Amino acid sequence: MKELFSRDAGRSLARFLPAAAWLPAYSLSALQKDLLAAVIVTIMLIPQSLAYALLAGLPAEVGLYASIAPLIAYALFGSSRTLSVGPVAVASLMSAAALGQVAAQNTADYLLAAMLLALLSGLFLFLLGVLRLGFLANFLSHPVISGFITASGILIAFSQLKHLMGVTAHGDNLPELAHSMFAGIGQINLYSLALGAGVVLFLIWSRGSAVRVLQRLSLSKNTAGLIVKAAPVVGVLATIFLASGFDLEGKGVKLVGEIPSGLPQLVWPNFSLELVQQLLVPAIMISIIGYVESISVGKTLAAKRRQKIDMNQELIGLGAANMASGFSGGFPVTGGFSRSVVNFDAGAETQLASVFTALGIALAAMFLTPFLYYLPKATLAATIIVAVLSLVDFSILRKTWRYSPSDFFAVLVTIVVTLLFGVEMGVSCGVLASIVLFLYRTSKPHIAEVGLVEGTEHFRNIQRHQVRTLPQILTIRVDESLMFSNAAFLEERIYGDIATTPEVKHVILMCSAINEIDWSALETLESINEQLRASGICFHLSEVKGPVMDSLSKSGFLDMLSGKIFFTQFQAFTTLRDNLDGC
């Protein structure tokens, strides 16, 4: 009994703290793999963290702060064993757009707003997780999200050109950025441009040809791939050497400058209710996009190891990570695609790899920041540009055009709105497009008239197959649950078919794909039944599922049904074929 109680207690604890499920069985082999993965991810994450902080309009050290406490918080509460959280490009861009509306950059108010944005995002995600509302993410169309991320990638890359060229530019959308940069084209710093362009070319080369070069040196493809992930660090070190050795600061190249050493302090930010109201909607938008991106990466990696993740627990884990970021001077974070893949490929077994990564970032924040003074902003801009190139995927337009014009239109509108009006309007448009697509599809379910396939007991669409039908029997199959949004569509279809076939004496509603009938749809069925009865037509149901039959029985609908309930469609057809005149 005591053992059983302990086992149940352990399962309950593991539901709230997933780390409790794998920590008791943690091995030396797993420790070695996690340490190796942590070293590789730390090397990759340092320049990324600095770059994404600047993308969000924040001091570089804030990127380091957002890569320490959040990783530890997610390691405790997250359900994925290999997802790596931290600052990411899209969330950073969305943060910059939101923060720019409430405070000026390089001010204490701007940093305070960033911390509050992370807290609000975390609280929203945590609340959704506690209420078990992870399923809401399913209502966001993935093609629409892909379109938004593609447009965001273009905006991010374009916004970094100013650092690459060494000019002053501003704007939250493509027209503003283009106009601003064109106006400052005469101020281009050739040293900054040469430095940034060189890093871009080097990083692009490292992604393509470097792996083949390393393989010629007898390294395995996997090892070569992991080494190439450290290419941004090589770019950072090389440009720091050039900037300090050739006094590029004196030649107008903008540097990161002095970065305070030390760990972030845990603080409770002082904020006003007005600021909360201003940042609440942007925080929700960032949370939604971040969660969808994170859950997609987490599911993909978990499937490769035959593991699974809990969507509701992921909300709690990401919520905890964002709250930890807010309390430690950071900004919104989420699961990053590139660093999670690197973490996975490096052999990470558990979330202790992320804890070790956080310790590595903490050591960097304490001891390495003085060496980053001469880091050119053009280098970080180049790192961002190359990183976001993988986000840009225009093939989604071609794929959706071929498969679904409605999806294509939703993706196209999302991309255009994001580019022309900014990320806030873009994500709002994306959410709206997803909802509209869902409502459109549920309001017009696939409805087919079916007939008997000769020599079988199967019934198929008369438009697709050679089938047998009788003019006196009309069989309609609805491939969707009946709800308030689509019941009228079914009613119109039945009346339309009867109007074109006056010989009809029996109408059979084939319910094999109907999983639920809500009250509005039930009232519509009652109306159909009465209208058909008044016209001398019998209304029948076939292949009704158990839960649906239970609901219909409770409502009293079966007592007023003019026709019968048949177990199979074949039984309905053969029975009524022999009795075409009566019910």
Side-chain angles (χ1 to χ4, degrees):
M1 178 67 75
K2 184 177 179 181
E3 181 183 350
L4 180 62
F5 177 79
S6 300
R7 191 183 308 160
D8 291 340
R11 288 174 181 170
S12 299
L13 180 62
R15 281 197 206 101
F16 183 67
L17 287 173
W22 49 262
L23 267 176
Y26 197 69
S27 64
L28 179 61
S29 172
L31 174 63
Q32 293 171 339
K33 292 178 180 178
D34 285 344
L35 279 172
L36 176 61
V39 171
I40 294 171
V41 175
T42 300
I43 292 172
M44 174 187 178
L45 195 52
I46 290 174
Q48 272 194 1
S49 300
L50 299 172
Y52 292 145
L54 295 180
L55 175 60
L58 293 160
E61 67 270 14
V62 176
L64 297 177
Y65 299 163
S67 302
I68 300 175
L71 274 71
I72 297 173
Y74 180 83
L76 290 173
F77 295 99
S79 63
S80 171
R81 297 196 182 186
T82 51
L83 187 72
S84 180
V85 303
V88 298
V90 175
S92 298
L93 178 66
M94 295 178 69
S95 298
L99 299 174
Q101 301 295 321
V102 298
Q105 285 191 20
N106 303 317
T107 64
D109 289 341
Y110 194 92
L111 179 57
L112 171 67
M115 296 165 63
L116 178 59
L117 191 63
L119 279 175
L120 291 174
S121 178
L123 285 170
F124 177 73
L125 289 167
F126 196 87
L127 181 62
L128 289 182
V130 171
L131 296 176
R132 314 294 290 176
L133 296 177
F135 69 90
L136 291 176
N138 297 330
F139 288 93
L140 279 176
S141 162
H142 279 271
V144 167
I145 295 298
S146 297
F148 171 74
I149 291 176
T150 290
S152 297
I154 295 172
L155 282 180
I156 291 168
F158 214 84
S159 70
Q160 295 307 295
L161 291 178
K162 62 184 179 183
H163 296 303
L164 216 64
M165 299 186 298
V167 302
T168 302
H170 62 275
D172 296 326
N173 54 59
L174 196 58
E176 289 179 357
L177 286 168
H179 179 268
S180 182
M181 271 186 275
F182 183 77
I185 199 167
Q187 305 169 2
I188 292 179
N189 186 294
L190 294 179
Y191 292 99
S192 180
L193 182 60
L195 205 66
V199 175
V200 167
L201 292 174
F202 168 71
L203 293 178
I204 292 175
W205 172 83
S206 68
R207 289 189 169 197
S209 304
V211 173
R212 292 193 295 270
V213 171
L214 291 173
Q215 284 183 281
R216 292 194 193 104
L217 299 176
S218 300
L219 293 176
S220 68
K221 184 177 181 180
N222 186 52
T223 302
L226 291 175
I227 292 175
V228 164
K229 300 298 182 183
V233 176
V234 176
V236 165
L237 295 176
T239 52
I240 287 177
F241 172 78
L242 291 173
S244 60
F246 294 93
D247 188 27
L248 294 184
E249 185 176 19
K251 295 178 174 62
V253 175
K254 296 178 181 178
L255 306 180
V256 169
E258 185 176 351
I259 300 177
S261 298
L263 296 175
Q265 296 182 349
L266 295 179
V267 294
W268 175 264
N270 296 316
F271 51 83
S272 65
L273 181 59
E274 180 183 2
L275 186 60
V276 172
Q277 293 173 338
Q278 290 174 313
L279 292 177
L280 182 58
V281 173
I284 291 174
M285 295 297 185
I286 292 171
S287 301
I288 292 171
I289 297 299
Y291 174 66
V292 171
E293 182 180 358
S294 179
I295 205 76
S296 299
V297 179
K299 282 182 176 180
T300 300
L301 297 181
K304 290 182 177 180
R305 291 185 179 172
R306 297 189 177 183
Q307 299 169 351
K308 70 174 185 176
I309 61 175
D310 185 330
M311 294 179 68
N312 294 305
Q313 190 62 41
E314 281 303 286
L315 285 167
I316 293 175
L318 290 173
N322 275 282
M323 286 190 285
S325 184
F327 286 129
S328 59
F331 62 107
V333 298
T334 191
F337 176 78
S338 58
R339 72 172 64 98
S340 296
V341 171
V342 170
N343 193 44
F344 181 90
D345 290 343
E349 290 284 330
T350 70
Q351 278 296 329
L352 267 185
S354 290
V355 175
F356 295 144
T357 298
L359 294 176
I361 299 294
L363 291 174
M366 288 190 292
F367 302 113
L368 296 183
T369 52
F371 301 100
L372 298 174
Y373 178 94
Y374 287 99
L375 176 59
K377 289 186 177 181
T379 301
L380 295 179
T383 302
I384 293 175
I385 289 172
V386 176
V388 300
L389 286 178
S390 60
L391 300 179
V392 179
D393 178 21
F394 284 114
S395 68
I396 190 67
L397 291 170
R398 173 175 49 81
K399 293 173 183 176
T400 52
W401 173 254
R402 290 179 177 177
Y403 187 76
S404 169
S406 59
D407 274 322
F408 166 80
F409 180 73
V411 172
L412 181 62
V413 169
T414 302
I415 291 175
V416 171
V417 170
T418 304
L419 291 177
L420 295 183
F421 301 101
V423 291
E424 287 191 357
M425 283 294 293
V427 71
S428 300
C429 177
V431 172
L432 181 62
S434 296
I435 294 173
V436 169
L437 273 177
F438 172 74
L439 293 177
Y440 174 77
R441 285 168 178 162
T442 56
S443 68
K444 292 188 175 182
H446 181 258
I447 298 178
E449 181 182 349
V450 298
L452 177 64
V453 179
E454 289 289 359
T456 73
E457 296 184 3
H458 300 292
F459 286 77
R460 293 293 184 266
N461 191 335
I462 64 172
Q463 302 294 332
R464 296 176 180 271
H465 301 272
Q466 292 291 333
V467 294
R468 182 187 175 194
T469 61
L470 294 173
Q472 297 90 344
I473 300 176
L474 171 65
T475 299
I476 296 292
R477 188 190 70 214
V478 183
D479 296 330
E480 182 67 74
S481 292
L482 290 180
M483 306 170 64
F484 67 94
S485 59
N486 59 29
F489 187 69
L490 170 65
E491 187 176 23
E492 291 175 7
R493 172 62 187 268
I494 290 176
Y495 294 158
D497 286 351
I498 290 174
T500 58
T501 314
E503 302 93 339
V504 171
K505 296 296 182 182
H506 299 276
V507 173
I508 308 171
L509 180 62
M510 187 175 174
C511 304
S512 55
I514 298 176
N515 297 315
E516 182 182 2
I517 298 176
D518 72 3
W519 183 259
S520 297
L522 175 63
E523 290 184 329
T524 300
L525 290 179
E526 291 174 349
S527 175
I528 293 172
N529 182 57
E530 292 303 318
Q531 291 290 336
L532 294 180
R533 187 199 302 271
S535 301
I537 300 173
C538 299
F539 187 39
H540 311 271
L541 304 181
S542 73
E543 302 190 9
V544 183
K545 293 185 177 180
V548 176
M549 181 68 81
D550 293 340
S551 299
L552 293 178
S553 300
K554 292 176 184 177
S555 70
F557 172 74
L558 301 182
D559 296 330
M560 64 179 71
L561 186 66
S562 62
K564 299 177 181 178
I565 305 290
F566 293 96
F567 189 69
T568 67
Q569 176 59 31
F570 182 74
Q571 180 190 36
F573 184 80
T574 53
T575 300
L576 298 177
R577 180 186 58 191
D578 299 331
N579 184 22
L580 293 175
D581 294 326
C583 291

